[in-house]
Amino acid sequence: MRRDGATVALGGADIQLPEFTHARVLVVGDLMLDRYWFGDVNRISPEAPVPVVAVTRTEDRLGGAANVARNAASLNAHVALMGVVGADEPGTRLRALVEQGSITPHLYVDPRLPTTIKLRVVGRTQQLLRIDFETRPSEDILLEKLEDFRRMVGNHDVVVFSDYGKGGLAHIGLMISAAREAGCKVLVDPKGSEYTRYRGAHVVTPNRAELREVVGGWTDEAQLREKALRLRDELGLEALLLTRSEEGMTLFGEGEPVHVPTVAREVYDVSGAGDTVIATLAASLAAKQTIVDAVKLANIAAGIVVGKLGTAVVTREELAESLK
């Protein structure tokens, strides 16, 4: 593999948009319920220098790995979701949203685990506060999930591991091995600095901050390319996809790195954009797209979803309109 060539920049006008209806995607990872409290802000609290939000509307959305599944399902892929929830109202609500989203649930209830919640308080479309509730699942539940994963993984084309660092992927190394033995393509949205646990995956999709945590900083594109390719080789990946916010995405695979420029849009909210990227990538690869075309579609999807408030999805119809 060459290490000194220039990065190839590609656009997205030549992509053929697949139907996705035969794509089979399994999403495994940390499940969350995203709760939004929307309201008006007209005064400052007399108790502390903070705004008072008069809540007028509440909304629940799927978060974490569940949002990845929701995004893949919105493209018309056949999607199954595996993860752990608590024996509580948020867990029941999360399951209901999964079923409403045309996602096949494989949810495990841990009676000692409160379901992970991200509560966002929004005043006049501006997020004012986020409150997180989270606890790591028990080992018994995770082992049960591992055995079920081995039984069902062969019924899918692509497996996505959505790692939010909440403990739901304690056995990811064994899961990656099982997925590869079953002939599935393995994608990982990583977390933390210990990437050896992702060894053997096909594609890992860090953002800039996540990659810096693992390989350190870089001063120019040449140094970035060297560090990214070294990490790719160390982990035995087919490709490393670096998401770069306003700079687009760069795919470090065989041959020269491929850069896909960002789609120029007004950025409204970047929360959940990484979920949209890996979901679109997974659905596209399951629909037999090439890795480069799949990255192009994922880049377009990211450009759409950042124009929406909160964790949101992109539909196949929106992708088709953008490709025009």
Side-chain angles (χ1 to χ4, degrees):
M1 179 189 301
R2 289 181 58 195
R3 305 290 192 183
D4 55 351
T7 299
V8 180
L10 297 176
D14 57 339
I15 310 173
Q16 293 297 316
L17 185 63
E19 288 296 332
F20 297 113
T21 51
H22 297 295
R24 302 173 302 168
V25 178
L26 172 61
V27 180
V28 187
D30 297 308
L31 306 184
M32 306 176 193
L33 184 66
D34 282 2
R35 291 205 140 143
Y36 292 85
W37 291 357
F38 298 96
D40 297 323
V41 179
N42 296 308
R43 62 192 178 97
I44 299 299
S45 171
E47 302 167 356
V50 295
V52 175
V53 182
V55 176
T56 58
R57 179 170 63 91
T58 64
E59 184 177 342
D60 291 339
R61 301 181 190 178
L62 295 174
N67 188 46
V68 176
R70 177 180 173 228
N71 269 269
S74 74
L75 296 174
N76 301 326
H78 294 279
V79 182
L81 175 65
M82 177 177 282
V84 181
V85 297
D88 51 17
E89 179 274 330
T92 301
R93 178 61 175 150
L94 192 150
R95 181 183 293 274
L97 289 174
V98 166
E99 293 172 348
Q100 291 171 18
S102 301
I103 301 163
T104 302
H106 298 275
L107 307 185
Y108 301 82
V109 178
D110 186 341
R112 294 165 291 182
L113 172 77
T115 301
T116 297
I117 302 171
K118 290 183 178 180
L119 171 61
R120 297 173 174 90
V121 181
V122 181
R124 295 182 179 176
T125 73
Q126 178 69 44
Q127 185 179 147
L128 303 176
L129 179 68
R130 196 183 92 182
I131 305 171
D132 291 1
F133 304 86
E134 59 189 44
T135 306
R136 299 178 74 86
S138 66
E139 190 71 14
D140 292 343
I141 291 290
L142 295 176
L143 287 173
E144 178 185 350
K145 184 175 73 168
L146 174 60
E147 291 306 311
D148 287 349
F149 175 85
R150 286 172 169 152
R151 285 192 290 268
M152 65 186 290
V153 65
N155 298 324
H156 300 84
D157 305 301
V158 174
V159 178
V160 176
F161 294 106
S162 179
D163 193 351
Y164 272 79
K166 310 302 181 187
L169 289 173
H171 305 297
I172 188 172
L174 297 173
M175 288 180 162
I176 289 174
S177 297
R180 293 198 67 122
E181 289 173 6
C184 294
K185 188 77 74 174
V186 178
L187 311 184
V188 179
D189 191 355
K191 200 69 169 181
S193 59
E194 186 47 70
Y195 275 30
T196 55
R197 62 201 302 260
Y198 307 134
R199 191 183 307 278
H202 291 89
V203 184
V204 175
T205 63
N207 59 33
R208 287 178 298 191
E210 290 165 342
L211 185 62
R212 284 194 189 98
E213 188 175 354
V214 178
V215 303
W218 52 87
T219 57
D220 54 29
E221 289 296 312
Q223 191 177 51
L224 166 61
R225 182 165 57 247
E226 179 184 354
K227 291 190 173 188
L229 291 174
R230 184 185 304 125
L231 179 63
R232 170 191 174 273
D233 291 348
E234 289 173 353
L235 299 180
L237 309 174
E238 284 188 3
L240 185 148
L241 176 62
L242 175 62
T243 58
R244 309 176 67 173
S245 189
E246 73 282 355
E247 296 177 3
M249 302 179 185
T250 304
L251 180 70
F252 299 93
E254 292 293 341
E256 297 305 330
V258 174
H259 183 70
V260 183
T262 189
V263 179
R265 289 179 181 272
E266 181 179 356
V267 176
Y268 193 71
D269 191 338
V270 298
S271 58
D275 297 339
T276 300
V277 167
I278 200 165
T280 307
L281 188 69
S284 300
L285 291 175
K288 312 308 179 187
Q289 292 284 88
T290 67
I291 182 68
V292 172
D293 280 355
V295 169
K296 291 178 184 177
L297 286 174
N299 188 57
I300 294 169
I304 296 171
V305 81
V306 296
K308 302 180 180 183
L309 176 63
T311 47
V313 300
V314 174
T315 66
R316 185 183 183 279
E317 291 70 28
E318 287 174 313
L319 280 179
E321 185 64 28
S322 290
L323 286 173
K324 290 179 182 180

